[in-house]
Amino acid sequence: MVINENLFQKRCKQRKSYLVYLVTSCEMGSEGWSGWDYYAVAHGSTEEEIYNDWIEQCKIIYGVDLSEDLKCVNGKWFCHYELAKNELPSSVYGDAQPIYIEESYRKHTC
């Protein structure tokens, strides 16, 4: 079921899709815990378009408006924490296989 036909058509015309998410950091009192948060698939031709689309996706998916926290500092994008994005493939010449996501982290040491 397509909720917004115009938005759906716009996104289908854009070739690149990205998995965008926050990379939360260890903070005092967190006992060494950090993680990844607010996963969303965003689309766009520029960094600004991609991250603004991520903001819109977070409103729809999670019911949160993070637009006040979105900032670019020295070419790195943040929304209180650092933002990360990975391009999602849409086609391949060959037999497509499932995409595997690996947890990437350094073990906490005391």
Side-chain angles (χ1 to χ4, degrees), residues 9-78:
Q9 291 300 324
K10 177 185 171 190
R11 289 204 172 114
C12 286
K13 289 177 186 173
Q14 294 171 329
R15 293 188 168 195
K16 294 188 179 182
S17 300
Y18 299 88
L19 177 62
V20 179
Y21 51 94
L22 286 176
V23 180
T24 63
S25 59
C26 290
E27 294 183 359
M28 221 162 181
S30 71
E31 307 301 329
W33 290 99
S34 64
W36 309 271
D37 211 355
Y38 295 117
Y39 293 101
V41 175
H43 303 82
S45 300
T46 65
E47 298 277 307
E48 187 173 3
E49 285 179 3
I50 294 163
Y51 291 118
N52 280 318
D53 189 47
W54 174 78
I55 291 288
E56 293 305 312
Q57 295 303 316
C58 287
K59 288 178 188 176
I60 295 166
I61 298 167
Y62 303 104
V64 297
D65 184 355
L66 302 168
S67 58
E68 293 292 318
D69 293 328
L70 183 65
K71 295 179 179 30
C72 181
V73 178
N74 297 324
K76 288 188 111 179
W77 286 83
F78 296 86

Side-chain angles (χ1 to χ4, degrees), residues 21 33-36 39 100-107:
Y21 51 94
W33 290 99
S34 64
W36 309 271
Y39 293 101
Y100 292 97
I101 298 174
E102 181 180 320
E103 294 174 27
S104 181
Y105 65 97
R106 288 183 301 270
K107 191 168 180 150

